[in-house]
Amino acid sequence: MSESSLILKKYMDLANVFNASVTVDGDTIHILAKPEYLPKIADKLFNEFKCVHRTCVATDERPLNGFFSLTHLFTDDSHGFYISLKTYLDGENPKAPSIISVVPAADWCEMEARDLVGVEFEGRESYRLVLPPGWPADAHPLRKDFQYDKRPNILPVGEKVSTNEEASTIPVGPYHPALHEPEYFELYVEGERIVDVKYRGFHVHRGIEKLGESRMTYQQVNFLAERICGICGFEHSTCYALAVEKAAKLDVPERAQYIRSIILEIERLHSHLLWLGVAFHLVGYDAGFMHMWRIREKIMYLSEYLTGSRKTYGINLVGGVRKDINEEKKSKVLETLSTLEKEFKEIVEVAVSVPQVKRRLTGTGVLPKEDAVKLAVEGPVARASGIDRDARRDLPYAAYKHVSFKVPVYTEGDNLARALVRIDEVFESISMIRQLLDQIPKGPIRLEEFEIPPGRIGVQVVEAPRGGDVHFVITGEGKPYRWRVRAPTYNNIPALRVMLRDQPMADAPLTIASIDPCFSCTDRVVVIGKDGVIKKLSLTGGVML
Amino acid sequence: MSEKLKPAKLLVIASKAGRVTKRYPYDEPLLSPDFRGKITIDENLCIGCGACVNACPPNALQLMKDKDTVVLRYFVGRCIFCWRCVDVCPVGAIKGLREFELATNDISDLYVHVVHKKAKCEKCEGEGATQRMLYYVVQKSPIVEEYLNECPDCRRKSFIDSVVKRRTGGVSE
C-alpha cells in the first residue's frame, strides 16, 4: 500500500467511527458527518492528526435541498491534503455545535457564520463580529433570499468603548499610526505595561462575497477578488481562479501556471520590501525606510512592465492569464533582479545592524509556539514562531512543484524573527523567479473554451506574503453559488492579544505592524471633551481578543 | 569597531544612489510601455453589440436603451483599467491608451457616449438590435434576407407562419 492510500485510510477509519461518509476528489477529502459528531471529529483532526484549521463556511443551500450547511476546512500540510468537514443543518432553525473548545482557531469564523447566515452555535458565548451593531438581529445578508442591494433599517445604537475599569485605556486607531489603515485597538495599560487588548474590526465590511455570488460572472469575479487586498491582490485572484479550475477540473496550460507563479513572487517581493520599510519607519529609522522603498520602486516598475499596472494587475482569468512574458521582458526581469538583490543585501545588512533597530526588534511581541498552533496563525508569523508551514511547498499549486526553495523558520517568535523570515524570503523569491524564468515552457497561455458545471466544490490555499489565503467555491449557473474568502490577517489578529500582553506600551505599534496586518476596515473615535473627560460612544460589546 | 561603524555605510549607499525622485510635471513620467490607461471608443467602428458591457467587471460601460436609440456609455470614474473590453470587442472599436491624468473640474469630461440607431421592424414598429449590428451580422454570415428587417418577435412569428403554410399547403381554414 502506498503512503497516500495509507493516509486516506486513516481518514476513512476516522469517518467510519463517527458514521460519516467520505469521498475523495483529487486532493480534497470530503467528510460528511452528522452535526453532533462535529466537535469530536474536529478534535481528532486538529489535535491528533495535526491538521490546520483554515476556516469554516456556512452556506444557504435551501434553494438546492432545503438545508443549511456548515463546512470546516482543514488542511493536512504534512501530506498535502485538503479536508472539508461538512454537515447539513436544519433549514428552519439552523443550529450547530461549536468546536472552539477543541479548535480555538475557529472562534471568528463561527461568529461570522452566525452573523451572515444565521447559524446559531451551541456551547459557546455569542457576540456580533461582522455586521454593524445597528443592523437588526434577524438580517442575515448571505442567505439567498436577501437581495444584494437591500439595506435594512438601521437602528441608531452606540458601543461602549471601554470595558475595563481598573486599567487606563489607550485607543490605537481609528487609523494605525504608520500603516494608514483603519483599525481600532484598545490597549489597557498599567503604567507602561499593557495588561489586555481589545480589537474591534469589520466596520467597513464590503460584502464582496455577496456581490460575487449575486451579480458577477465567473470571469468578472477575478477582478473583484483582486480588490480584496491592496497589497496581495494577485494572490486572491489566483486563489479564486485555481479554486474554480479545481472545481471544474480544468487543465490549465503550463505556461499560464508559470506566469502566475512569477507574478506571485514579484508581489511577495514588493510586499516584503514595503513591510521592512514600514518596520524601520516605526522604530524611527527613517533613512532605512526611504532606501527600502527606493529599491522597492524597481519592483513596482517591473510589475507594471509585465502586467500593465503597478498593483491590481488584472491578468488572471479562470483558465489562464492574459499577458505573456516574451524574451525581451525576460532579460529585463533578470537584469532588475540582480541589481535588486545586490542593493537589498547592502541595505538590509546596514539597517539591521543599527543598534537601536536591533534592540527594538529583539525580544518584543513574542508569540510562543503553542499559542501559534492553537490560533492557527499564518505565514511569517507562524514561521517566526517555529511552525514549519508553507502552502507553496506543502500544497503545491501553479508552478511551485517545479522549483526548489527553502522555507525560513525561526523559533524565537519575536519581532526580529518575523523580520528575518521576511528578509530570507526575499532572497528565496528572487531565486524562484530565476528558476521559473529559466524553465518556462512554450505554449498557449489560456484555455479558449471550457465549461464550468454547477454544484462542484473547489478549495484552494495560496500562500500570500502574510500567510495562506483560502478560497472556497461552490459553482453555480454562470457565477459562483457560494464564494468564501479568508485572508491571512483574519487568523493573525487574534494572536496579537498574546503578543501585546505584558509588553511595554511603546512597542505596541511595531508589534501590531509586525503581523503585516491588512485591516479591511474600522472606524471608531474617542471623543475627549474640553474638561478632558472621555465621552464614551456606547455600542453593544466589542470583541475581546 | 567595524561593526559599530556599519550603520554609517548608509552614507555611501545614499551618495551612490543620488536623487531618485522624478520632477514629474517637468520630466517624463515613469511609465512602462505596457501601462494600461483609459480606453477610447471609435464611434465609426462600434456596432453596439454590448460584448464590452457583458465583460466589464465594474459596470463602467453600460448600454442604455430607449425607443429609437441605444447608447453605449463609458464612465471613467468607475473604470478599473483592466482592458477586458479591448479583449472582447469583435470589431476592434475599443483601444487602450496610456493616458492616466484624468482629473477634471467638469464631470462631463468623464463620460463618453456612443449613440446608435435602433433597427425598426417593418411589421410591428417594434425594436431589434442596432442597425450597425444587423449590417455586421449580414456581412459575417448572409442570412435569409426576408427576415432581416423584422424584430426578433416578428421573425419568430413569420418563421412559424411559413412552417404552418408548408404543412397546410398554403390553405388555411
Side-chain angles (χ1 to χ4, degrees), chain A residues 393-409:
Chain A
R393 182 195 58 195
D394 302 333
L395 308 158
Y397 52 89
Y400 284 112
K401 51 182 174 292
H402 305 295
V403 291
S404 66
F405 58 96
K406 285 200 294 280
V407 176
V409 179

Side-chain angles (χ1 to χ4, degrees), chain A residues 25-249:
Chain A
D25 181 13
D27 55 358
T28 316
I29 304 168
H30 297 272
I31 302 177
L32 183 62
K34 288 222 175 77
E36 56 266 33
Y37 296 130
L38 221 53
K40 280 182 188 154
I41 302 177
D43 185 21
K44 278 263 185 189
L45 288 173
F46 191 72
N47 295 321
E48 198 170 302
F49 296 169
K50 300 292 172 208
C51 296
V52 186
H53 183 269
R54 296 281 180 169
T55 190
C56 65
V57 191
T59 314
D60 179 5
E61 293 193 22
R62 285 177 300 168
L64 302 178
N65 50 27
F67 290 100
F68 284 95
S69 75
L70 180 73
T71 315
H72 283 280
L73 298 175
F74 292 87
T75 53
D76 184 347
D77 290 73
S78 42
H79 306 107
F81 281 110
Y82 292 85
I83 297 137
S84 112
L85 174 57
K86 186 172 181 176
T87 183
Y88 283 106
L89 309 171
D90 184 25
E92 294 293 315
N93 186 17
K95 263 193 192 141
S98 164
I99 64 164
I100 61 162
S101 54
V102 286
V103 186
D107 182 16
W108 275 20
C109 72
E110 281 188 355
M111 284 301 97
E112 191 176 337
R114 175 179 172 266
D115 277 8
L116 297 180
V117 186
V119 178
E120 284 298 329
F121 287 89
E122 290 161 328
R124 62 163 295 170
E125 179 208 2
S126 293
Y127 53 82
R128 189 166 262 203
L129 180 73
V130 178
L131 283 186
W135 275 44
D138 58 345
H140 302 297
L142 276 184
R143 288 191 174 184
K144 291 288 168 190
D145 49 12
F146 194 96
Q147 286 297 316
Y148 77 93
D149 51 356
K150 187 184 166 182
R151 287 179 184 210
N153 292 327
I154 288 172
L155 318 157
V157 287
E159 182 170 349
K160 202 169 159 218
V161 170
S162 177
T163 55
N164 195 327
E165 298 297 331
E166 283 107 64
S168 332
T169 306
I170 293 183
V172 178
Y175 281 87
H176 189 275
L179 295 172
H180 312 296
E181 270 195 83
E183 42 89 13
Y184 178 71
F185 284 92
E186 218 161 75
L187 308 179
Y188 306 116
V189 293
E190 278 175 13
E192 282 291 300
R193 206 169 49 85
I194 299 170
V195 289
D196 210 347
V197 190
K198 192 180 102 173
Y199 172 70
R200 185 75 172 91
F202 300 98
H203 292 102
V204 204
H205 191 81
R206 291 166 290 175
I208 277 180
E209 288 172 16
K210 185 74 182 175
L211 190 60
E213 288 166 20
S214 316
R215 56 167 284 181
M216 299 192 108
T217 61
Y218 280 117
Q219 297 295 28
Q220 288 177 337
V221 174
N222 281 299
F223 299 91
L224 179 66
E226 194 148 43
R227 277 155 183 81
I228 290 169
C229 178
I231 306 257
C232 48
F234 193 76
E235 272 82 0
H236 280 285
S237 76
T238 310
C239 196
Y240 163 77
L242 288 169
V244 174
E245 284 157 11
K246 197 189 265 187
K249 300 205 164 44

Side-chain angles (χ1 to χ4, degrees), chain A residues 333-359:
Chain A
V333 175
L334 291 173
E335 189 191 311
T336 315
L337 283 182
S338 56
T339 48
L340 178 91
E341 190 175 24
K342 210 174 97 237
E343 289 193 1
F344 179 72
K345 208 172 199 165
E346 258 177 15
I347 290 167
V348 149
E349 263 176 21
V350 170
V352 176
S353 65
V354 174
Q356 290 87 339
V357 173
K358 227 180 190 167
R359 285 284 295 279

Side-chain angles (χ1 to χ4, degrees), chain B residues 81-109:
Chain B
F81 311 108
C82 64
W83 287 13
R84 277 287 283 160
C85 45
V86 182
D87 291 357
V88 298
C89 183
V91 290
I94 303 181
K95 295 239 156 32
L97 301 177
R98 291 179 68 219
E99 212 174 296
F100 64 95
E101 285 166 320
L102 305 170
T104 173
N105 46 19
D106 181 5
I107 195 161
S108 64
D109 293 350

